[in-house]
Amino acid sequence: MSAPLQIPAAPYEFTLRPAEAALIIIDMQRDFLEQGGFGAALGNDVGQLRSAIGPIARVLAAARAAGMLVIHTREGHRPDLSDLSHAKRRRGNFAMGIGDAGPMGRILVRGEAGHGIIDELAPAPREPVIDKPGKGAFFATDLEAILRGRGIGKLILCGVTTEVCVHTTLREANDRGFDCLVLSDGTASYFPEFHQSALAMVSAQGGIFGWVAGSDIVANILNGAAS
Ligand code: C5J
Protein backbone atom coordinates (compact mmCIF):
# COMPACT_ATOMS: atom_id res chain seq x y z
CA MET A 1 0.00 0.00 0.00
CA SER A 2 1.37 3.46 -0.91
CA ALA A 3 2.33 5.95 1.81
CA PRO A 4 -0.45 8.37 2.80
CA LEU A 5 -0.44 11.96 1.60
CA GLN A 6 0.74 14.37 4.27
CA ILE A 7 -1.08 17.69 4.45
CA PRO A 8 0.35 20.47 6.64
CA ALA A 9 -2.57 21.58 8.82
CA ALA A 10 -3.49 22.92 12.24
CA PRO A 11 -2.94 21.56 14.84
CA TYR A 12 -0.61 19.09 13.05
CA GLU A 13 -0.23 17.14 9.83
CA PHE A 14 -3.34 15.47 8.39
CA THR A 15 -2.74 12.25 6.49
CA LEU A 16 -4.95 10.57 3.95
CA ARG A 17 -5.03 8.05 1.15
CA PRO A 18 -7.32 9.30 -1.64
CA ALA A 19 -9.09 5.92 -1.92
CA GLU A 20 -10.02 6.08 1.77
CA ALA A 21 -11.09 9.74 1.85
CA ALA A 22 -14.01 11.84 0.68
CA LEU A 23 -14.51 15.50 -0.08
CA ILE A 24 -17.88 16.62 1.28
CA ILE A 25 -19.21 19.90 -0.12
CA ILE A 26 -21.93 21.18 2.13
CA ASP A 27 -24.98 23.12 0.94
CA MET A 28 -23.45 25.27 -1.82
CA GLN A 29 -27.00 26.04 -2.94
CA ARG A 30 -28.63 29.06 -4.51
CA ASP A 31 -30.87 29.29 -1.45
CA PHE A 32 -27.84 30.27 0.63
CA LEU A 33 -25.67 32.08 -1.92
CA GLU A 34 -28.07 34.05 -4.11
CA GLN A 35 -30.64 36.77 -3.64
CA GLY A 36 -34.22 35.66 -3.01
CA GLY A 37 -33.41 32.44 -1.15
CA PHE A 38 -33.43 31.19 2.42
CA GLY A 39 -30.27 33.03 3.49
CA ALA A 40 -31.58 36.36 2.26
CA ALA A 41 -35.01 35.70 3.81
CA LEU A 42 -33.26 35.46 7.19
CA GLY A 43 -31.84 38.94 6.63
CA ASN A 44 -28.32 37.93 5.66
CA ASP A 45 -25.90 39.46 3.16
CA VAL A 46 -25.55 36.48 0.84
CA GLY A 47 -22.49 37.99 -0.87
CA GLN A 48 -20.50 37.03 2.25
CA LEU A 49 -20.51 33.40 1.18
CA ARG A 50 -19.10 33.76 -2.32
CA SER A 51 -15.46 33.79 -1.17
CA ALA A 52 -15.69 30.03 -0.64
CA ILE A 53 -16.56 29.21 -4.27
CA GLY A 54 -13.08 29.55 -5.83
CA PRO A 55 -11.25 27.60 -3.10
CA ILE A 56 -13.84 24.80 -3.19
CA ALA A 57 -13.62 24.63 -6.99
CA ARG A 58 -9.85 24.18 -6.81
CA VAL A 59 -10.02 21.39 -4.24
CA LEU A 60 -12.93 19.78 -6.08
CA ALA A 61 -10.89 19.58 -9.29
CA ALA A 62 -7.90 18.17 -7.40
CA ALA A 63 -10.02 15.63 -5.50
CA ARG A 64 -11.58 14.40 -8.75
CA ALA A 65 -8.14 14.12 -10.36
CA ALA A 66 -6.83 12.16 -7.35
CA GLY A 67 -9.76 9.74 -7.58
CA MET A 68 -11.33 10.75 -4.28
CA LEU A 69 -15.01 10.26 -3.61
CA VAL A 70 -16.84 13.59 -3.85
CA ILE A 71 -20.17 14.02 -2.06
CA HIS A 72 -22.47 17.05 -2.27
CA THR A 73 -25.17 17.90 0.24
CA ARG A 74 -28.27 20.06 -0.02
CA GLU A 75 -30.41 21.27 2.85
CA GLY A 76 -34.10 21.17 2.00
CA HIS A 77 -37.47 19.59 2.49
CA ARG A 78 -40.02 17.45 0.72
CA PRO A 79 -42.60 19.50 -1.22
CA ASP A 80 -45.32 18.44 1.26
CA LEU A 81 -43.02 19.62 4.11
CA SER A 82 -43.65 16.35 5.95
CA ASP A 83 -39.98 16.29 7.04
CA LEU A 84 -40.02 19.87 8.34
CA SER A 85 -40.41 20.14 12.08
CA HIS A 86 -42.75 22.72 13.51
CA ALA A 87 -39.81 24.14 15.44
CA LYS A 88 -37.73 24.70 12.29
CA ARG A 89 -40.71 26.11 10.36
CA ARG A 90 -41.61 28.76 12.90
CA ARG A 91 -38.10 29.67 14.12
CA GLY A 92 -37.37 33.37 13.66
CA ASN A 93 -40.91 34.48 12.83
CA PHE A 94 -39.73 35.77 9.44
CA ALA A 95 -42.17 37.14 6.86
CA MET A 96 -40.95 34.58 4.30
CA GLY A 97 -40.11 31.10 5.55
CA ILE A 98 -39.41 27.54 4.45
CA GLY A 99 -42.01 26.37 1.94
CA ASP A 100 -43.13 29.89 0.97
CA ALA A 101 -42.93 31.03 -2.65
CA GLY A 102 -39.91 33.19 -3.47
CA PRO A 103 -38.15 34.43 -6.60
CA MET A 104 -36.26 31.09 -6.95
CA GLY A 105 -39.29 28.94 -6.16
CA ARG A 106 -40.43 27.68 -2.77
CA ILE A 107 -37.81 28.38 -0.12
CA LEU A 108 -35.63 25.38 0.83
CA VAL A 109 -37.89 22.89 -0.97
CA ARG A 110 -36.42 20.02 -2.99
CA GLY A 111 -36.74 20.37 -6.73
CA GLU A 112 -37.03 24.17 -6.69
CA ALA A 113 -34.41 26.35 -8.40
CA GLY A 114 -33.22 27.77 -5.09
CA HIS A 115 -32.56 24.30 -3.73
CA GLY A 116 -30.06 23.56 -6.50
CA ILE A 117 -26.30 23.62 -6.19
CA ILE A 118 -24.69 26.66 -7.83
CA ASP A 119 -23.45 26.10 -11.39
CA GLU A 120 -19.79 26.64 -10.48
CA LEU A 121 -19.81 23.53 -8.26
CA ALA A 122 -22.30 21.35 -10.13
CA PRO A 123 -22.07 17.66 -9.16
CA ALA A 124 -20.56 15.35 -11.77
CA PRO A 125 -22.39 12.18 -12.81
CA ARG A 126 -21.99 9.44 -10.18
CA GLU A 127 -21.11 11.90 -7.38
CA PRO A 128 -23.63 11.24 -4.60
CA VAL A 129 -25.90 14.14 -3.66
CA ILE A 130 -27.27 13.90 -0.13
CA ASP A 131 -30.58 15.65 0.55
CA LYS A 132 -30.77 16.48 4.22
CA PRO A 133 -33.63 17.97 6.22
CA GLY A 134 -31.38 19.12 9.06
CA LYS A 135 -28.20 21.04 9.56
CA GLY A 136 -26.02 17.95 9.93
CA ALA A 137 -25.46 15.75 6.88
CA PHE A 138 -25.65 12.52 8.92
CA PHE A 139 -29.11 13.22 10.39
CA ALA A 140 -31.90 11.39 8.51
CA THR A 141 -29.66 10.56 5.51
CA ASP A 142 -27.69 7.59 4.16
CA LEU A 143 -24.36 9.44 4.24
CA GLU A 144 -22.83 7.17 6.87
CA ALA A 145 -23.83 4.03 4.93
CA ILE A 146 -22.23 5.43 1.77
CA LEU A 147 -18.98 6.25 3.57
CA ARG A 148 -18.74 2.97 5.49
CA GLY A 149 -19.60 0.99 2.37
CA ARG A 150 -16.58 2.45 0.60
CA GLY A 151 -14.19 2.15 3.54
CA ILE A 152 -13.87 5.93 3.94
CA GLY A 153 -12.39 7.12 7.23
CA LYS A 154 -11.08 10.59 6.37
CA LEU A 155 -13.19 13.56 5.31
CA ILE A 156 -12.36 16.95 3.86
CA LEU A 157 -15.26 19.27 4.69
CA CYS A 158 -16.12 22.56 3.01
CA GLY A 159 -19.19 24.63 2.15
CA VAL A 160 -21.58 26.84 4.04
CA THR A 161 -22.12 28.02 6.59
CA THR A 162 -19.05 27.40 8.73
CA GLU A 163 -20.72 27.54 12.11
CA VAL A 164 -24.04 25.95 11.17
CA CYS A 165 -24.14 23.09 8.64
CA VAL A 166 -20.39 22.58 8.31
CA HIS A 167 -19.88 22.49 12.08
CA THR A 168 -22.92 20.31 12.73
CA THR A 169 -21.72 17.81 10.12
CA LEU A 170 -18.18 17.97 11.50
CA ARG A 171 -19.39 17.17 15.00
CA GLU A 172 -21.60 14.33 13.79
CA ALA A 173 -18.67 12.89 11.81
CA ASN A 174 -16.25 13.28 14.70
CA ASP A 175 -18.53 11.37 17.06
CA ARG A 176 -18.81 8.60 14.46
CA GLY A 177 -15.04 8.17 14.34
CA PHE A 178 -14.20 10.00 11.11
CA ASP A 179 -11.09 12.21 10.94
CA CYS A 180 -12.08 15.55 9.41
CA LEU A 181 -10.12 18.39 7.86
CA VAL A 182 -12.00 21.67 7.34
CA LEU A 183 -10.96 24.02 4.52
CA SER A 184 -10.39 27.42 6.11
CA ASP A 185 -11.10 29.40 2.91
CA GLY A 186 -13.50 26.84 1.43
CA THR A 187 -16.02 27.60 4.15
CA ALA A 188 -17.82 30.87 4.82
CA SER A 189 -20.37 32.47 7.08
CA TYR A 190 -22.72 35.44 6.94
CA PHE A 191 -20.85 36.47 10.12
CA PRO A 192 -17.06 36.70 9.63
CA GLU A 193 -16.47 36.55 13.37
CA PHE A 194 -18.45 33.30 13.63
CA HIS A 195 -16.37 31.87 10.76
CA GLN A 196 -13.12 32.64 12.57
CA SER A 197 -14.34 31.28 15.90
CA ALA A 198 -15.78 28.16 14.30
CA LEU A 199 -12.46 27.39 12.63
CA ALA A 200 -10.54 28.04 15.84
CA MET A 201 -12.79 25.55 17.68
CA VAL A 202 -11.93 22.76 15.26
CA SER A 203 -8.18 22.61 15.85
CA ALA A 204 -8.06 23.83 19.47
CA GLN A 205 -7.21 21.39 22.26
CA GLY A 206 -5.07 19.20 20.03
CA GLY A 207 -7.71 19.02 17.30
CA ILE A 208 -10.76 18.31 19.41
CA PHE A 209 -12.97 18.25 16.31
CA GLY A 210 -10.28 17.83 13.65
CA TRP A 211 -7.87 19.70 11.41
CA VAL A 212 -7.88 22.98 9.46
CA ALA A 213 -5.93 23.85 6.30
CA GLY A 214 -6.16 26.24 3.35
CA SER A 215 -7.40 25.15 -0.06
CA ASP A 216 -4.13 25.84 -1.92
CA ILE A 217 -2.08 23.46 0.19
CA VAL A 218 -4.74 20.75 0.02
CA ALA A 219 -5.25 21.14 -3.74
CA ASN A 220 -1.48 21.12 -4.40
CA ILE A 221 -0.97 17.91 -2.48
CA LEU A 222 -3.94 16.16 -4.12
CA ASN A 223 -2.75 17.35 -7.53
CA GLY A 224 0.69 15.93 -6.76
CA ALA A 225 -0.92 12.56 -6.02
CA ALA A 226 -2.79 12.66 -9.32
CA SER A 227 0.27 13.35 -11.48
C1 C5J B 1 -28.11 27.28 7.55
C2 C5J B 1 -26.46 25.89 6.47
N1 C5J B 1 -27.22 28.21 7.89
N2 C5J B 1 -26.27 25.21 5.36
N3 C5J B 1 -27.75 26.21 6.80
O1 C5J B 1 -29.26 27.38 7.88
O2 C5J B 1 -25.52 26.27 7.13
Side-chain angles (χ1 to χ4, degrees):
M1 187 181 282
S2 59
L5 304 179
Q6 302 188 332
I7 302 176
Y12 56 89
E13 205 166 56
F14 184 76
T15 60
L16 66 77
R17 289 188 172 86
E20 297 166 358
L23 172 68
I24 303 189
I25 304 176
I26 297 172
D27 299 0
M28 290 299 285
Q29 301 163 248
R30 295 188 195 95
D31 255 321
F32 294 106
L33 285 122
E34 295 183 6
Q35 289 298 342
F38 184 60
L42 301 185
N44 296 305
D45 169 10
V46 293
Q48 294 274 3
L49 304 189
R50 299 199 69 82
S51 65
I53 298 173
I56 294 174
R58 283 194 289 282
V59 173
L60 172 59
R64 284 173 176 160
M68 266 175 68
L69 175 65
V70 175
I71 295 179
H72 307 257
T73 75
R74 299 183 295 206
E75 181 178 348
H77 297 276
R78 294 171 180 268
D80 64 4
L81 304 185
S82 55
D83 58 354
L84 174 62
S85 70
H86 185 55
K88 187 174 178 184
R89 173 77 180 96
R90 69 160 191 259
R91 187 81 45 82
N93 287 325
F94 293 101
M96 191 183 288
I98 299 170
D100 292 342
M104 293 191 290
R106 294 176 66 206
I107 304 263
L108 230 52
V109 169
R110 296 177 188 169
E112 302 287 344
H115 183 254
I117 292 171
I118 58 171
D119 292 342
E120 297 93 320
L121 301 173
R126 295 185 305 280
E127 287 176 355
V129 178
I130 304 287
D131 280 324
K132 61 189 187 64
K135 304 304 181 192
F138 287 84
F139 170 68
T141 74
D142 53 6
L143 175 59
E144 185 167 2
I146 291 172
L147 296 173
R148 302 260 187 240
R150 298 185 192 215
I152 304 282
K154 305 262 179 162
L155 306 178
I156 296 178
L157 300 181
C158 58
V160 296
T161 62
T162 322
E163 78 281 10
V164 183
C165 289
V166 175
H167 237 270
T168 306
T169 301
L170 165 73
R171 291 168 186 233
E172 290 178 326
N174 186 55
D175 278 348
R176 285 168 173 77
F178 294 94
D179 280 332
C180 300
L181 179 144
V182 178
L183 291 182
S184 55
D185 52 350
T187 49
S189 170
Y190 301 118
F191 306 92
E193 67 277 23
F194 290 177
H195 173 74
Q196 291 304 337
S197 297
L199 290 178
M201 286 176 204
V202 177
S203 60
Q205 303 177 79
I208 197 142
F209 291 125
W211 288 256
V212 177
S215 59
D216 280 344
I217 193 107
V218 173
N220 286 344
I221 288 173
L222 291 177
N223 281 326
S227 56

